[in-house]
mmCIF file of all heavy atoms in Angstrom:
data_model
loop_
_atom_site.group_PDB
_atom_site.id
_atom_site.type_symbol
_atom_site.label_atom_id
_atom_site.label_comp_id
_atom_site.label_asym_id
_atom_site.label_seq_id
_atom_site.Cartn_x
_atom_site.Cartn_y
_atom_site.Cartn_z
ATOM 1 N N LYS A 62 -31.043 64.781 -34.927
ATOM 2 C CA LYS A 62 -29.849 65.593 -35.139
ATOM 3 C C LYS A 62 -28.616 64.814 -34.706
ATOM 4 O O LYS A 62 -28.421 64.537 -33.550
ATOM 5 C CB LYS A 62 -29.938 66.899 -34.341
ATOM 6 C CG LYS A 62 -31.199 67.711 -34.614
ATOM 7 C CD LYS A 62 -31.282 68.134 -36.076
ATOM 8 C CE LYS A 62 -32.525 68.976 -36.335
ATOM 9 N NZ LYS A 62 -32.638 69.377 -37.753
ATOM 10 N N GLY A 63 -27.819 64.464 -35.663
ATOM 11 C CA GLY A 63 -26.595 63.739 -35.354
ATOM 12 C C GLY A 63 -26.032 63.124 -36.619
ATOM 13 O O GLY A 63 -26.701 63.058 -37.670
ATOM 14 N N MET A 64 -24.831 62.675 -36.549
ATOM 15 C CA MET A 64 -24.166 62.086 -37.699
ATOM 16 C C MET A 64 -24.027 60.591 -37.509
ATOM 17 O O MET A 64 -23.911 60.095 -36.384
ATOM 18 C CB MET A 64 -22.776 62.713 -37.911
ATOM 19 C CG MET A 64 -22.808 64.208 -38.199
ATOM 20 S SD MET A 64 -21.145 64.882 -38.405
ATOM 21 C CE MET A 64 -20.582 63.931 -39.814
ATOM 22 N N GLY A 65 -24.023 59.883 -38.622
ATOM 23 C CA GLY A 65 -23.839 58.455 -38.553
ATOM 24 C C GLY A 65 -22.379 58.112 -38.314
ATOM 25 O O GLY A 65 -21.531 58.975 -38.066
ATOM 26 N N ALA A 66 -22.066 56.836 -38.390
ATOM 27 C CA ALA A 66 -20.705 56.361 -38.183
ATOM 28 C C ALA A 66 -20.393 55.297 -39.224
ATOM 29 O O ALA A 66 -21.277 54.505 -39.592
ATOM 30 C CB ALA A 66 -20.532 55.794 -36.786
ATOM 31 N N MET A 67 -19.158 55.295 -39.727
ATOM 32 C CA MET A 67 -18.706 54.323 -40.715
ATOM 33 C C MET A 67 -19.625 54.275 -41.942
ATOM 34 O O MET A 67 -19.878 53.234 -42.525
ATOM 35 C CB MET A 67 -18.624 52.924 -40.081
ATOM 36 C CG MET A 67 -17.613 52.806 -38.959
ATOM 37 S SD MET A 67 -17.495 51.131 -38.271
ATOM 38 C CE MET A 67 -19.142 50.982 -37.550
ATOM 39 N N ALA A 71 -27.763 57.870 -39.658
ATOM 40 C CA ALA A 71 -27.897 58.251 -38.258
ATOM 41 C C ALA A 71 -29.011 57.456 -37.553
ATOM 42 O O ALA A 71 -28.909 57.147 -36.375
ATOM 43 C CB ALA A 71 -28.169 59.755 -38.154
ATOM 44 N N VAL A 74 -27.528 54.086 -36.492
ATOM 45 C CA VAL A 74 -26.568 54.228 -35.408
ATOM 46 C C VAL A 74 -27.278 54.558 -34.095
ATOM 47 O O VAL A 74 -26.954 54.002 -33.039
ATOM 48 C CB VAL A 74 -25.534 55.326 -35.747
ATOM 49 C CG1 VAL A 74 -24.626 55.593 -34.565
ATOM 50 C CG2 VAL A 74 -24.705 54.895 -36.953
ATOM 51 N N PHE A 75 -28.283 55.441 -34.156
ATOM 52 C CA PHE A 75 -28.987 55.811 -32.926
ATOM 53 C C PHE A 75 -29.818 54.637 -32.402
ATOM 54 O O PHE A 75 -29.891 54.415 -31.189
ATOM 55 C CB PHE A 75 -29.882 57.023 -33.177
ATOM 56 C CG PHE A 75 -30.599 57.479 -31.942
ATOM 57 C CD1 PHE A 75 -29.912 58.182 -30.957
ATOM 58 C CD2 PHE A 75 -31.942 57.209 -31.741
ATOM 59 C CE1 PHE A 75 -30.562 58.594 -29.801
ATOM 60 C CE2 PHE A 75 -32.597 57.625 -30.591
ATOM 61 C CZ PHE A 75 -31.895 58.327 -29.621
ATOM 62 N N GLN A 78 -27.392 52.327 -30.761
ATOM 63 C CA GLN A 78 -26.934 52.926 -29.508
ATOM 64 C C GLN A 78 -27.994 52.859 -28.434
ATOM 65 O O GLN A 78 -27.728 52.504 -27.277
ATOM 66 C CB GLN A 78 -26.541 54.386 -29.767
ATOM 67 C CG GLN A 78 -26.271 55.196 -28.510
ATOM 68 C CD GLN A 78 -26.062 56.665 -28.831
ATOM 69 O OE1 GLN A 78 -25.854 57.036 -29.967
ATOM 70 N NE2 GLN A 78 -26.141 57.504 -27.814
ATOM 71 N N ALA A 83 -25.197 51.901 -25.694
ATOM 72 C CA ALA A 83 -23.780 52.095 -25.999
ATOM 73 C C ALA A 83 -23.580 53.460 -26.649
ATOM 74 O O ALA A 83 -24.429 53.930 -27.398
ATOM 75 C CB ALA A 83 -23.275 51.000 -26.936
ATOM 76 N N SER A 84 -22.487 54.113 -26.329
ATOM 77 C CA SER A 84 -22.205 55.458 -26.863
ATOM 78 C C SER A 84 -21.319 55.345 -28.099
ATOM 79 O O SER A 84 -20.116 55.095 -28.005
ATOM 80 C CB SER A 84 -21.503 56.305 -25.784
ATOM 81 O OG SER A 84 -22.354 56.453 -24.666
ATOM 82 N N PHE A 85 -21.931 55.532 -29.256
ATOM 83 C CA PHE A 85 -21.174 55.537 -30.501
ATOM 84 C C PHE A 85 -20.925 56.975 -30.977
ATOM 85 O O PHE A 85 -19.816 57.362 -31.262
ATOM 86 C CB PHE A 85 -21.935 54.770 -31.586
ATOM 87 C CG PHE A 85 -22.093 53.312 -31.290
ATOM 88 C CD1 PHE A 85 -23.284 52.816 -30.809
ATOM 89 C CD2 PHE A 85 -21.040 52.438 -31.479
ATOM 90 C CE1 PHE A 85 -23.441 51.481 -30.531
ATOM 91 C CE2 PHE A 85 -21.180 51.101 -31.219
ATOM 92 C CZ PHE A 85 -22.389 50.618 -30.732
ATOM 93 N N ARG A 86 -21.966 57.753 -31.084
ATOM 94 C CA ARG A 86 -21.857 59.138 -31.505
ATOM 95 C C ARG A 86 -23.081 59.868 -30.980
ATOM 96 O O ARG A 86 -24.196 59.343 -31.054
ATOM 97 C CB ARG A 86 -21.761 59.232 -33.025
ATOM 98 C CG ARG A 86 -21.410 60.604 -33.550
ATOM 99 C CD ARG A 86 -21.292 60.570 -35.063
ATOM 100 N NE ARG A 86 -20.139 59.790 -35.492
ATOM 101 C CZ ARG A 86 -18.971 60.331 -35.792
ATOM 102 N NH1 ARG A 86 -18.822 61.640 -35.716
ATOM 103 N NH2 ARG A 86 -17.972 59.577 -36.190
ATOM 104 N N ALA A 87 -22.896 61.045 -30.469
ATOM 105 C CA ALA A 87 -24.010 61.776 -29.859
ATOM 106 C C ALA A 87 -25.079 62.099 -30.891
ATOM 107 O O ALA A 87 -24.779 62.398 -32.053
ATOM 108 C CB ALA A 87 -23.499 63.055 -29.228
ATOM 109 N N ALA A 88 -26.322 62.028 -30.490
ATOM 110 C CA ALA A 88 -27.459 62.383 -31.344
ATOM 111 C C ALA A 88 -28.525 63.039 -30.470
ATOM 112 O O ALA A 88 -28.592 62.799 -29.268
ATOM 113 C CB ALA A 88 -28.022 61.146 -32.051
ATOM 114 N N GLU A 89 -29.363 63.844 -31.114
ATOM 115 C CA GLU A 89 -30.377 64.597 -30.377
ATOM 116 C C GLU A 89 -31.702 64.479 -31.101
ATOM 117 O O GLU A 89 -31.790 64.582 -32.323
ATOM 118 C CB GLU A 89 -29.977 66.066 -30.282
ATOM 119 C CG GLU A 89 -30.984 66.919 -29.520
ATOM 120 C CD GLU A 89 -30.576 68.378 -29.490
ATOM 121 O OE1 GLU A 89 -29.489 68.701 -30.014
ATOM 122 O OE2 GLU A 89 -31.361 69.191 -28.962
#
Side-chain angles (χ1 to χ4, degrees):
K62 305 300 181 181
M64 298 179 61
M67 296 182 294
V74 174
F75 182 75
Q78 170 187 345
S84 299
F85 295 102
R86 190 178 292 263
E89 181 182 357

